[in-house]
Amino acid sequence: MNAKPTWILGVCLATLAFAGCDDDTGSVADTSDVSDDVSDDATADVDPTDTTDDRPIVDIEPWVPSCDAPPELATRTYDATIRWASYGVPYITADDLPNVVFGQSYAMTRDHICTLADQYLATRSERAQTFGAGTNNSHVISDLSWKSLGLREHAQCQLATMSEQSREFVRAVAAGYNKYLAETGVDAIPEPCRGAEWVKPIDELDVAAYYLAVVMRGSGDVFRNIVATSEPPSTTDTTEGSLSALSQSDEAMEQAARELSRQVNTAAMGHLGSNGWGIGSERTESGNGMLLSNPHFPWEGSLRFYESHLTVPGELNVHGVSLVGTPSVLIGFNEHLGWTHTVSTSNRFSMYVLSLDPSDPTVYQYEDERRRMATHDVTVMVKGDDGTLSPVDKTVYYSHYGPIISVAPVTWNNGYALTYRDANLNNTRMFDHWLAKDKATTLEEFRASYDDSGIPWVNTMYADKLGNAFYIDGTQVPHLSDDVIDWWRTAIVEGGRLAETMATLVWGGFGAFCFDGSIASHEWVVEDDAFEPGLVPSRLAPQLANTSYVMNANDSYWFSNAETPIEGFSPLYGSERTQLTPRTRLNARQLSLDDPASGADGKFSLDELKAMRTNGRNFLSEEFLDDVVGRCLGVDSVTIDDASVPIAAACDVLDLWDGTQRLELAGPPLWREVLSGLRAQEALAFDGEFDADDAIATPAGLLQAPDEGVDPVLVALGMATNHLAEAGFPVDVTFGDTQYTLKGDERIPVPGGFDSEGSFNIARYGLDRSTVLPNRLVRGDVVNSDSGLTSDGYLVNYGNSIVMAVEFTPDGPDAFGILTYSQSSDPDSPHFADQTQLYSTDGWRQIAFTEEELAADPNLTTQVISSE
């Protein structure tokens, strides 16, 4: 049995699952059973005909908790001063931390109240009662999913257990939101939620539930729609454990894995990614540390970043960005140091297969016990066409690990069920962790923040003014014993009975880990110094400190530095000595001493660092363009579907193109379509082999033309020519005339490419909106779904978000930045499109950090706010 089918190369649930299911797609897990026979060595470990087990059944504790409201905090008022700088960036000053969070929340709400109100509505499970069932019951499923996970119940309990500081932050966020809403009035807030009855004041529980949803984005969120639609089988169903799709043939194994991956992640287009560099003194011209932050996130919804500067005199002075609605600075810098994040390949949950009682599929085996699954009854109200509300009821089932999930081809049946445990479920440390980083002055203080890490799903890259660089994957990762890891390694190679076969399928299908839920030794291991019982303590997390560089581009920790790869860590953090993605290879190539990116001296200046955003480089054109041109020059046409397609002009365009994705150039649109054509023929592949000891350079070279038949390169050129013509573009159309975003009625050209092109800077269309607000970014008629080409070109709603390049000088940070989609989502704001227009021209903003720099801003205005 294959341990990891070749079709799934490059796919990992740790990144795919972070994208989640679009709230407005209505995608539902297929809970149909599979009916083929089960092979002898893949059957459940229970005899389905044996009904003689008379051991008593043990009831487990409810998985969805019940907690009283936490003790009330002492009454207080809030005051803050906001100085609004150019491009709408708020510089917030207050005399204590809750006050500065109050001011930050007020500013975020002013610019994004509709997005925030929609998120609070979603996490209250009130979309269906507000907007109706939704397309394909999407609102009903969204509401049921959050209730099925017990989101608000868990958040209620966490309010009583989080630190006093975090609790104060939660209350301050609510106060800032409510202050803006009260003084503005719902009838005067921005479109599209102006006057909406569902925009209402919030409380601490609303904020705590939203934050729990944010931390679960990279873990249990992937399963929530599946949990909401999972049902136990009928006890009269005689189908034995439906591993039937898992016959020993490779074809059946791959088919099952594809289906499981599709069901678990219906939004595969929403792959979140980023580039992050921390550069030490050895690799900078000045000897100062430098930071490059380049996260790739959606341009709509709750995953937009918001830029601000927070100051509490004598305690805090930090600049950077946060996800809309979250307090403090999540990516940024102070006068001593800076950091950025990329989505980690770690698995922030573990799956378990349960062997069930053959007479009752809600009873499972655990050691010598028979355990009854816990249940939780949920109800959501649904608004009908006539305005009346009707209830939809659901009973949800849980093991002691967590919710039961049923997804084809491994649906819940009378032999087994799947469940999972979420490592982020009890993460109440996020605010304390990021505040500790915001306030850190040395590498030692920064590292110490990971001893109680609240990082939910990202790697960290760091640099400081002393020239240190540092990398760590401090995410919430399950801690399994060495013996259990050895069991898993054997299982995915050799297969076996139920638990081993399931481990093979789950790993081969989407890169996640499944263990035997009937064995206590497969539980998470508790270490005294772990930041939460059962998680890997920071001392065992992958990390690297040096004065050279660290980087990550969403491959695993292994290749954080090409000269000193990190090895020997739990496989739940990611893989080692495996082929890198093209984007990671481009990152590493540009950091190589012999690459022109850092000049002849191999050391970066700040201008050279900034050029990483504007140079337009992409890995596949650097690797394959000469091969493609060499194979098409001198060829006039190619036959496609019995029609002759001229390709000489297209070949000439590529011959003249320098391979960079700059907006003024012809070539990038044609190249994108050529790559799509090669992919359609399964010919977009390297010809060489991967060598882990030469990971940047291997594999290399485009797959050679076959000995017989038409060269796939020529066919791809013909397909590209046809696609562009169908969309209304000539083969020599420039990138700026095809790739764009929309700001109201304004069409703005956007630089950047795709991960699949090996582009450093990303710009593409994605489905991860996380909002039901009206979609302003609507595409034309799709011509090529693979490349995203439409009759209007390539619409962008995802990619580079905040980009910052920072040098830590003795006189303070020298910083430049750009928020690609601009600071405000209010279409009437002057800051709705201003930075997007600047980004389109490869411009930068110099970021003011000191009081002198801020005072020199000609557009500076001051606002004093108070909760009284």
Side-chain angles (χ1 to χ4, degrees):
M1 205 177 262
N2 286 348
K4 199 167 180 83
T6 56
W7 67 269
I8 204 71
L9 286 177
V11 177
C12 177
L13 182 65
T15 51
L16 288 180
F18 175 69
C21 295
D22 287 347
D23 286 339
D24 51 358
T25 62
S27 300
V28 185
D30 178 4
T31 56
S32 60
D33 249 334
V34 186
S35 60
D36 295 344
D37 292 333
V38 184
S39 60
D40 290 340
D41 60 351
T43 54
D45 293 332
V46 295
D47 181 354
T49 66
D50 180 8
T51 59
T52 61
D53 193 343
D54 57 0
R55 290 174 300 164
I57 297 174
V58 178
D59 290 327
I60 66 172
E61 292 293 321
W63 187 81
V64 176
S66 178
C67 296
D68 294 331
E72 291 190 7
L73 297 171
T75 302
R76 65 164 294 165
T77 59
Y78 298 93
D79 301 280
T81 298
I82 304 176
R83 288 174 290 177
W84 298 96
S86 293
Y87 298 98
V89 179
Y91 285 67
I92 304 157
T93 303
D95 62 5
D96 69 9
L97 292 169
N99 276 328
V100 84
V101 168
F102 164 74
Q104 184 187 36
S105 176
Y106 176 95
M108 287 181 177
T109 306
R110 189 196 78 162
D111 286 321
H112 297 288
I113 187 169
C114 294
T115 297
L116 288 169
D118 172 58
Q119 297 306 303
Y120 293 130
L121 188 75
T123 52
R124 284 196 297 263
S125 292
E126 294 179 353
R127 277 182 171 171
Q129 76 176 47
T130 303
F131 303 119
T135 304
N136 296 324
N137 288 316
S138 59
H139 299 332
V140 177
I141 295 168
S142 174
D143 291 347
L144 283 174
S145 70
W146 286 125
K147 285 201 169 186
S148 297
L149 294 187
L151 181 74
R152 290 177 71 83
E153 290 89 346
H154 283 288
Q156 176 89 322
C157 293
Q158 290 177 1
L159 282 171
T161 59
M162 65 177 54
S163 71
E164 181 179 351
Q165 175 177 263
S166 291
R167 177 86 187 278
E168 288 283 5
F169 278 17
V170 167
R171 183 172 67 165
V173 168
Y177 180 97
N178 292 338
K179 168 64 178 178
Y180 173 79
L181 182 58
E183 76 174 17
T184 306
V186 71
D187 292 331
I189 62 177
E191 294 289 358
C193 63
R194 182 176 297 160
E197 293 181 359
W198 51 271
V199 181
K200 61 185 78 171
I202 61 173
D203 58 22
E204 288 184 56
L205 181 55
D206 290 319
V207 177
Y210 174 55
Y211 292 147
L212 181 55
V214 169
V215 301
M216 291 171 65
R217 284 277 310 198
S219 49
D221 180 82
V222 65
F223 296 111
R224 64 183 174 90
N225 284 5
I226 298 172
V227 172
T229 56
S230 294
E231 297 279 357
S234 168
T235 56
T236 61
D237 182 358
T238 59
T239 304
E240 297 179 9
S242 295
L243 286 169
S244 47
L246 308 183
S247 68
Q248 298 292 343
S249 72
D250 288 347
E251 181 180 357
M253 180 65 180
E254 293 186 14
Q255 172 68 26
R258 283 191 182 95
E259 179 63 12
L260 181 59
S261 182
R262 184 186 71 81
Q263 292 288 350
V264 172
N265 178 33
T266 60
M269 290 182 66
H271 180 119
L272 291 166
S274 305
N275 305 312
W277 294 6
I279 306 180
S281 56
E282 295 178 38
R283 294 297 310 279
T284 66
E285 289 184 4
S286 63
N288 303 317
M290 289 184 180
L291 179 77
L292 179 65
S293 176
N294 180 212
H296 309 145
F297 270 56
W299 289 19
E300 307 172 85
S302 61
L303 291 180
R304 280 179 58 131
F305 287 111
Y306 189 79
E307 185 175 358
S308 61
H309 188 112
L310 308 180
T311 302
V312 176
E315 186 172 4
L316 181 70
N317 187 25
V318 64
H319 190 105
V321 296
S322 308
L323 294 176
V324 169
T326 59
S328 71
V329 166
L330 309 189
I331 293 176
F333 59 93
N334 58 37
E335 59 264 48
H336 306 283
L337 54 84
W339 68 96
T340 189
H341 297 301
T342 61
V343 175
S344 165
T345 58
S346 67
N347 278 245
R348 280 82 64 178
F349 59 85
S350 58
M351 298 174 69
Y352 289 91
V353 58
L354 305 175
S355 295
L356 304 182
D357 186 319
S359 64
D360 187 343
T362 66
V363 174
Y364 64 97
Q365 177 80 18
Y366 185 76
E367 291 292 338
D368 292 330
E369 293 181 350
R370 299 165 71 208
R371 291 189 170 187
R372 169 90 55 198
M373 294 176 185
T375 61
H376 182 57
D377 294 326
V378 300
T379 300
V380 300
M381 303 304 294
V382 185
K383 184 178 182 180
D385 293 339
D386 60 358
T388 60
L389 297 178
S390 302
V392 173
D393 302 316
K394 168 74 177 175
T395 298
V396 190
Y397 294 81
Y398 312 86
S399 71
H400 68 284
Y401 298 104
I404 306 298
I405 57 176
S406 181
V407 54
V410 285
T411 50
W412 185 0
N413 54 73
N414 292 316
Y416 70 85
L418 282 177
T419 185
Y420 71 93
R421 184 176 176 186
D422 188 341
N424 269 314
L425 183 63
N426 298 312
N427 183 358
T428 61
R429 303 171 303 280
M430 184 171 75
F431 307 144
D432 295 333
H433 175 84
W434 261 291
L435 181 63
K437 294 202 300 204
D438 292 350
K439 297 168 67 172
T441 62
T442 65
L443 175 57
E444 290 71 23
E445 291 178 359
F446 190 87
R447 280 178 104 158
S449 71
Y450 283 87
D451 292 341
D452 198 23
S453 176
I455 291 282
W457 27 257
V458 289
N459 303 291
T460 303
M461 280 63 58
Y462 160 105
D464 65 28
K465 66 181 182 181
L466 299 179
N468 297 303
F470 175 62
Y471 163 87
I472 187 171
D473 183 342
T475 52
Q476 317 292 295
V477 173
H479 191 17
L480 281 304
S481 71
D482 291 342
D483 287 344
V484 173
I485 293 297
D486 289 343
W487 172 91
W488 176 83
R489 292 186 194 276
T490 301
I492 64 169
V493 173
E494 298 180 1
R497 295 180 66 82
L498 173 63
E500 289 83 359
T501 300
M502 196 65 71
T504 306
L505 172 65
V506 169
W507 176 248
F510 47 92
F513 293 77
C514 187
F515 303 99
D516 191 336
S518 68
I519 302 176
S521 63
H522 283 217
E523 297 268 13
W524 297 355
V525 176
V526 177
E527 298 275 1
D528 290 340
D529 58 345
F531 30 83
E532 184 181 316
L535 302 185
V536 179
S538 63
R539 63 181 168 81
L540 299 178
Q543 52 197 290
L544 175 67
N546 60 34
T547 54
S548 174
Y549 74 84
V550 294
M551 71 92 181
N552 186 269
N554 307 115
D555 269 313
S556 84
Y557 60 87
W558 173 59
F559 216 70
S560 298
N561 181 287
E563 285 74 43
T564 55
I566 309 173
E567 297 182 356
F569 292 88
S570 168
L572 274 76
Y573 280 103
S575 58
E576 299 174 1
R577 300 183 69 80
T578 55
Q579 185 173 326
L580 305 174
T581 65
R583 180 161 56 85
T584 293
R585 293 173 70 181
L586 181 61
N587 272 259
R589 174 179 286 176
Q590 292 184 110
L591 281 161
S592 300
L593 287 168
D594 56 356
D595 190 88
S598 55
D601 60 0
K603 297 184 177 185
F604 284 94
S605 67
L606 185 56
D607 284 342
E608 288 169 337
L609 189 65
K610 289 163 61 180
M612 297 302 100
R613 201 208 85 203
T614 57
N615 63 24
R617 289 177 63 174
N618 68 96
F619 191 80
L620 291 193
S621 70
E622 294 185 2
E623 287 291 303
F624 294 159
L625 180 58
D626 288 345
D627 290 341
V628 169
V629 171
R631 286 156 63 169
C632 70
L633 283 176
V635 180
D636 293 329
S637 63
V638 65
T639 300
I640 299 178
D641 296 332
D642 298 325
S644 179
V645 181
I647 61 172
C651 189
D652 288 342
V653 169
L654 295 182
D655 189 30
L656 294 172
W657 178 44
D658 68 1
T660 63
Q661 293 171 315
R662 290 180 288 124
L663 291 177
E664 69 273 16
L665 297 179
L670 176 62
W671 180 248
R672 178 170 295 167
E673 296 304 315
V674 168
L675 294 181
S676 175
L678 288 170
R679 191 158 41 243
Q681 302 172 80
E682 299 184 353
L684 184 56
F686 292 95
D687 191 49
E689 298 294 328
F690 171 66
D691 179 356
D693 295 322
D694 193 14
I696 300 176
T698 62
L702 180 62
L703 188 68
Q704 295 180 14
D707 294 334
E708 298 180 355
V710 181
D711 187 343
V713 163
L714 306 182
V715 175
L717 270 170
M719 295 172 67
T721 299
N722 284 343
H723 282 147
L724 289 170
E726 185 179 350
F729 299 112
V731 292
D732 63 350
V733 64
T734 66
F735 207 19
D737 284 338
T738 56
Q739 185 161 279
Y740 69 100
T741 196
L742 294 171
K743 286 292 185 176
D745 295 330
E746 183 181 9
R747 178 180 168 125
I748 302 176
V750 175
F754 293 176
D755 271 296
S756 59
E757 297 163 345
S759 301
F760 185 89
N761 295 285
I762 302 300
R764 63 171 179 78
Y765 186 81
L767 297 178
D768 190 4
R769 299 185 66 240
S770 68
T771 179
V772 295
L773 296 177
N775 190 356
R776 297 192 183 99
L777 297 174
V778 179
R779 296 197 290 178
D781 297 330
V782 176
V783 172
N784 182 0
S785 59
D786 177 71
S787 69
L789 178 64
T790 75
S791 55
D792 296 326
Y794 304 101
L795 176 63
V796 174
N797 71 350
Y798 168 94
N800 283 9
S801 48
I802 181 68
V803 188
M804 290 188 295
V806 187
E807 181 173 13
F808 298 95
T809 77
D811 298 324
D814 190 3
F816 290 82
I818 192 85
L819 191 62
T820 60
Y821 35 66
S822 302
Q823 183 81 329
S824 178
S825 57
D826 175 5
D828 295 327
S829 169
H831 309 301
F832 178 65
D834 52 357
Q835 291 194 66
T836 311
Q837 294 160 342
L838 182 63
Y839 180 65
S840 179
T841 62
D842 284 341
W844 288 89
R845 293 184 296 106
Q846 184 155 19
I847 297 174
F849 187 84
T850 66
E851 283 295 316
E852 293 76 16
E853 292 168 341
L854 183 61
D857 187 334
N859 300 310
L860 196 66
T861 61
T862 300
Q863 179 182 8
V864 178
I865 59 171
S866 174
S867 62
E868 291 186 321

